[in-house]
């Protein structure tokens, strides 16, 4: 698997997200990233959902740890990628959301919308998402990582039939108590 810590990422876009993807890709390459682009040509860019499936497959098949996805709103490509097993996708329109997606929610795909996100912000969001990991910045919050690990694990292993058969309750839920929020924690 190609890891973010080793500066590997896969990217892709539909026609609407293509220009933003190109700006972020150029920026990452200039910063030493190995960028695999599954949609290198705008005329050949697939529909948003197909680009999402392709990116998701790169994660599901263990080729890449993290992906960046681009479409008009970020929503459609995110929904499609989320249909692929083992993809934990987020849509971000702020730097804080991109950072939180990886540090708190352990997301492995970040979607951005070219209609709403300018290149400079997209570059900052990509950097925050790719250069941080699950739990970063929350080391002083007792139980934080364990709390979010439960959420990640329950999403990763979610079985709808078992959930439905259990009265729409999680089967064998785990829990952890969060300690007090550290003073000065902004997000």
């Amino acid at each position: 698997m190609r890891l973010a810590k080793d500066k590997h990422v896969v990217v892709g876009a539909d026609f609407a997200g293509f220009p933003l993807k190109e700006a972020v890709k150029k920026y990452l390459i200039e910063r030493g990233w190995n960028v695999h682009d599954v949609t290198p040509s705008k005329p050949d860019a697939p529909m948003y959902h197909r680009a999402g499936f392709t990116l998701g497959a790169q994660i599901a098949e263990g080729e890449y740890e993290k992906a960046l996805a681009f479409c008009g709103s970020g929503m459609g490509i995110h929904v499609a990628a989320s249909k692929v097993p083992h993809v934990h996708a987020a849509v971000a329109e702020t730097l804080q959301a991109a950072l939180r997606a990886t540090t708190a929610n352990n997301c492995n795909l970040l979607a951005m919308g070219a209609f709403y996100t300018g290149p400079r912000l997209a570059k900052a969001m990509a950097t925050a998402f790719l250069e941080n990991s699950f739990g970063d910045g929350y080391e002083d919050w007792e139980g934080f990582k364990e709390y979010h690990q439960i959420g990640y694990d329950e999403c990763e292993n979610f079985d709808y039939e078992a959930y439905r058969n259990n009265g729409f309750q999680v089967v064998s839920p785990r829990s952890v108590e969060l300690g007090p929020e550290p003073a000065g924690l902004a997000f």
Side-chain angles (χ1 to χ4, degrees):
M1 177 181 290
R2 292 168 187 94
L3 304 174
K5 73 177 183 68
D6 297 325
K7 292 197 157 198
H8 290 278
V9 65
V10 62
V11 301
D14 71 351
F15 78 96
F18 195 87
L20 186 61
K21 179 213 40 141
E22 288 295 297
V24 171
K25 180 172 84 171
K26 181 178 185 265
Y27 167 77
L28 291 172
I29 290 169
E30 288 170 355
R31 296 195 61 200
W33 281 82
N34 300 294
V35 180
H36 176 62
D37 188 349
V38 297
T39 58
S41 165
K42 187 174 181 178
D44 297 323
M47 293 174 71
Y48 67 92
H49 64 288
R50 293 177 187 152
F53 296 156
T54 300
L55 285 166
Q58 293 289 311
I59 291 170
E61 295 299 317
E63 294 296 323
Y64 286 87
E65 175 189 27
K66 288 187 176 183
L68 298 174
F70 305 85
C71 71
S73 67
M75 303 299 173
I77 202 166
H78 155 270
V79 169
S82 294
K83 298 292 184 184
V84 180
H86 312 298
V87 172
H88 297 261
V91 177
E93 295 175 347
T94 68
L95 179 58
Q96 294 84 354
L99 180 62
R100 184 86 179 197
T102 191
T103 59
N105 300 114
N106 203 15
C107 291
N108 53 17
L109 184 142
L110 182 68
M112 297 183 227
F115 297 160
Y116 314 117
T117 306
R120 193 176 195 109
L121 176 58
K123 293 170 189 176
M125 291 192 312
T127 300
F129 180 74
L130 295 172
E131 295 184 5
N132 286 281
S133 299
F134 181 52
D136 288 353
Y138 300 99
E139 294 85 356
D140 295 333
W141 192 344
E142 184 181 337
F144 179 89
K145 192 168 183 178
E146 294 82 1
Y147 176 87
H148 286 85
Q149 185 68 53
I150 291 170
Y152 176 86
D153 292 344
E154 288 181 2
C155 288
E156 177 68 13
N157 300 304
F158 186 68
D159 178 341
Y160 182 75
E161 291 302 316
Y163 179 75
R164 186 169 84 191
N165 292 337
N166 196 42
F168 298 98
Q169 300 292 319
V170 172
V171 177
S172 303
R174 300 179 353 232
S175 65
V176 65
E177 193 168 316
L178 280 171
E181 183 175 329
L185 185 64
F187 55 89

